[in-house]
Amino acid sequence: MRRKCHTCLCQTCLNTCCNRKNCTGKKEACENYSGFRQLSIFEQDAGHHMRVLVACEESQRVCIEFRRLGHEAYSCDIEPCSGGHPEWHIQADVLPLLDGECNFETVDGVVHRIDGKWDMIIAFPPCTYMTNAGAVRMRVKGEIVQERYQKAMEAKLFFMRIMSADCEKIAIENPVPMKLIGLPPYTQIIQPYEFGHPYSKRTCLWLKGLPKLKPMEILEYHEPYINGGCKDAHGNYRRFQGRKERDPKTRSKTFPGIARAMSEQWGEVSEPISLQSHSAPRHSWQYYGISKERYRQLTEYILSGRYTSVARQAAHTANKMIAEYLIKSIVENKSYDKLEFDEKLGRICYGRTDFYGCRRYFIACFDKEMRRIGK
């Protein structure tokens, strides 16, 4: 039988401690336990917690900014991370993770689980063969270089797979693409000098379910970040000292100001109106296969306080908008009528039938998690 350390029993705890044979069963005495600090970040404000996948990012700049605001963000790239947080980095192909409902392992060896969809995906797919800056190498003497064109089409396929992921909020960043590639129209163009960096570097954003980024600190003086044939007033090529802008890895890193803007503006964004009006699940207890005895057992688990993290995760999986109401209805044994308006949480945005449908789904999600940990 698997040993259980302390009272949290979330997936991170089980993977970092309880699978170890030498676990004492107590958090304070377990030398292998390493997930407590990470867990406490998210339990401070569960109502604001988002699960964010930052695809094709080894620098971890965007991932770190979302973590700073308390979100559960992971960077993913086939390259090792350079941001200093292997516990947040997935060194693997991102494609199997895009639609959520997946298990994955971070570089520190911890296995994580995402139930349902990601709340947001931010991606920086490879652009070498699609960028307009490489158009001069796409044609030789007027003829398309087939090998390069084929690689561009493969890059486009990867780009479109991210864009079509099963996620309500998606942002993809890339340089201005060649028209020949045929990418969808971009949503907006941003510049580093709009976010506090004295450089120009036209960058496109393709946005789904997210607002355009607003400039946060516009600088009047700026110069090209990439020295790509730019001349001064005397016809001489400019030379920029102290930067490795020719290094592909360096010049592809997200500017810190832009990463901060993404986290602060998109990390606070509310659900789009079109998502708020979706119908709630209304399945019966029989549909979920939960008996009266099992329901009483599950509510006792929640009331015990030992499985708070599991219950919160299940509530957010069921419906993020009313997750706190769902938990409160069980913990305080309150009906819809008594919860319809709460001084702290405000008014429930669902009617009675939809609310109880969501609550049944919440219990079903909680049941699934409890069975997974052997309860």
Side-chain angles (χ1 to χ4, degrees):
M1 181 177 177
R2 175 187 286 177
R3 294 183 66 87
K4 296 179 173 62
C5 67
H6 58 284
T7 59
C8 180
L9 294 181
C10 72
Q11 188 61 37
T12 302
C13 297
L14 293 174
N15 283 313
T16 55
C17 180
C18 299
N19 286 337
R20 310 295 180 92
K21 293 182 180 180
N22 60 346
C23 176
T24 62
K26 296 182 179 180
K27 175 184 63 182
E28 57 272 15
C30 181
E31 298 178 355
N32 295 321
Y33 180 69
S34 62
F36 181 77
R37 182 182 65 82
Q38 180 178 341
L39 286 170
S40 62
I41 291 176
F42 305 126
E43 292 183 351
Q44 290 172 0
D45 188 6
H48 185 62
H49 165 233
M50 295 174 63
R51 298 169 301 177
V52 183
L53 175 63
V54 188
C56 311
E57 186 195 45
E58 58 81 26
S59 70
Q60 295 192 294
R61 286 180 176 174
V62 175
C63 175
I64 290 171
E65 286 297 328
F66 272 90
R67 285 275 177 171
R68 182 175 61 86
L69 296 183
H71 298 294
E72 184 182 1
Y74 298 95
S75 58
C76 182
D77 200 288
I78 57 175
E79 298 286 335
C81 63
S82 61
H85 290 280
E87 71 275 16
W88 301 338
H89 187 64
I90 310 163
Q91 190 173 338
D93 181 10
V94 74
L95 292 181
L97 308 179
L98 290 175
D99 295 330
E101 201 67 45
C102 58
N103 295 314
F104 57 85
E105 183 176 335
T106 44
V107 175
D108 62 342
V110 178
V111 177
H112 303 264
R113 170 74 186 172
I114 293 294
D115 287 312
K117 307 175 186 178
W118 293 95
D119 296 305
M120 187 184 303
I121 296 175
I122 302 174
F124 305 87
C127 62
T128 304
Y129 298 100
M130 296 194 297
T131 174
N132 195 47
V136 67
R137 290 180 287 277
M138 181 61 77
R139 296 178 184 271
V140 175
K141 297 181 180 180
E143 296 293 328
I144 294 177
V145 179
Q146 290 301 320
E147 182 181 357
R148 194 173 184 87
Y149 179 76
Q150 181 61 35
K151 290 182 178 180
M153 290 298 101
E154 292 173 2
K156 177 185 177 181
L157 185 64
F158 183 75
F159 180 103
M160 295 305 298
R161 176 63 185 86
I162 297 174
M163 197 168 188
S164 61
D166 188 13
C167 179
E168 306 296 348
K169 301 187 182 104
I170 298 176
I172 303 179
E173 183 262 28
N174 248 205
V176 179
M178 284 183 278
K179 291 184 178 180
L180 176 68
I181 306 303
L183 288 181
Y186 49 78
T187 308
Q188 75 172 124
I189 286 183
I190 59 175
Q191 292 276 10
Y193 61 75
E194 297 175 322
F195 301 90
H197 301 280
Y199 308 119
S200 61
K201 182 189 175 192
R202 283 167 59 88
T203 304
C204 300
L205 294 178
W206 287 258
L207 305 177
K208 170 188 170 184
L210 291 167
K212 294 181 180 179
L213 278 186
K214 298 177 182 178
M216 297 182 68
E217 184 183 353
I218 300 177
L219 302 181
E220 292 186 6
Y221 174 79
H222 50 83
E223 58 186 15
Y225 184 66
I226 300 174
N227 187 4
C230 189
K231 297 181 180 180
D232 60 20
H234 304 288
N236 300 316
Y237 285 102
R238 290 183 178 180
R239 292 183 178 275
F240 303 122
Q241 303 297 324
R243 295 205 311 275
K244 298 179 180 179
E245 68 276 352
R246 282 295 185 183
D247 175 42
K249 237 181 194 182
T250 301
R251 70 187 185 194
S252 67
K253 291 181 187 291
T254 305
F255 285 91
I258 294 177
R260 191 178 311 114
M262 289 178 173
S263 66
E264 293 180 357
Q265 295 183 34
W266 295 341
E268 296 288 346
V269 70
S270 60
E271 297 288 343
I273 294 176
S274 59
L275 298 180
Q276 293 179 358
S277 61
H278 74 283
S279 59
R282 298 184 180 182
H283 301 304
S284 63
W285 290 118
Q286 290 75 18
Y287 176 87
Y288 294 119
I290 297 178
S291 63
K292 290 184 179 180
E293 182 181 349
R294 179 58 176 170
Y295 173 76
R296 285 195 296 269
Q297 187 180 36
L298 292 170
T299 54
E300 287 174 3
Y301 285 147
I302 296 174
L303 293 172
S304 71
R306 298 178 58 203
Y307 307 97
T308 302
S309 295
V310 182
R312 287 189 178 277
Q313 181 181 353
H316 281 267
T317 299
N319 192 306
K320 292 182 296 183
M321 298 169 62
I322 60 172
E324 294 302 314
Y325 293 100
L326 297 175
I327 294 173
K328 197 167 187 177
S329 69
I330 300 295
V331 173
E332 298 183 11
N333 192 27
K334 288 186 175 181
S335 65
Y336 173 84
D337 294 328
K338 293 182 179 179
L339 281 173
E340 186 176 4
F341 183 81
D342 184 89
E343 291 184 2
K344 181 179 179 181
L345 300 175
R347 186 177 297 277
I348 299 178
C349 56
Y350 281 109
R352 180 182 285 99
T353 304
D354 284 339
F355 172 77
Y356 283 115
C358 288
R359 195 169 83 155
R360 286 192 291 271
Y361 182 43
F362 156 51
I363 295 297
C365 293
F366 182 66
D367 176 57
K368 179 181 176 181
E369 285 299 307
M370 295 304 291
R371 290 183 186 280
R372 187 165 61 83
I373 63 176
K375 287 290 184 177

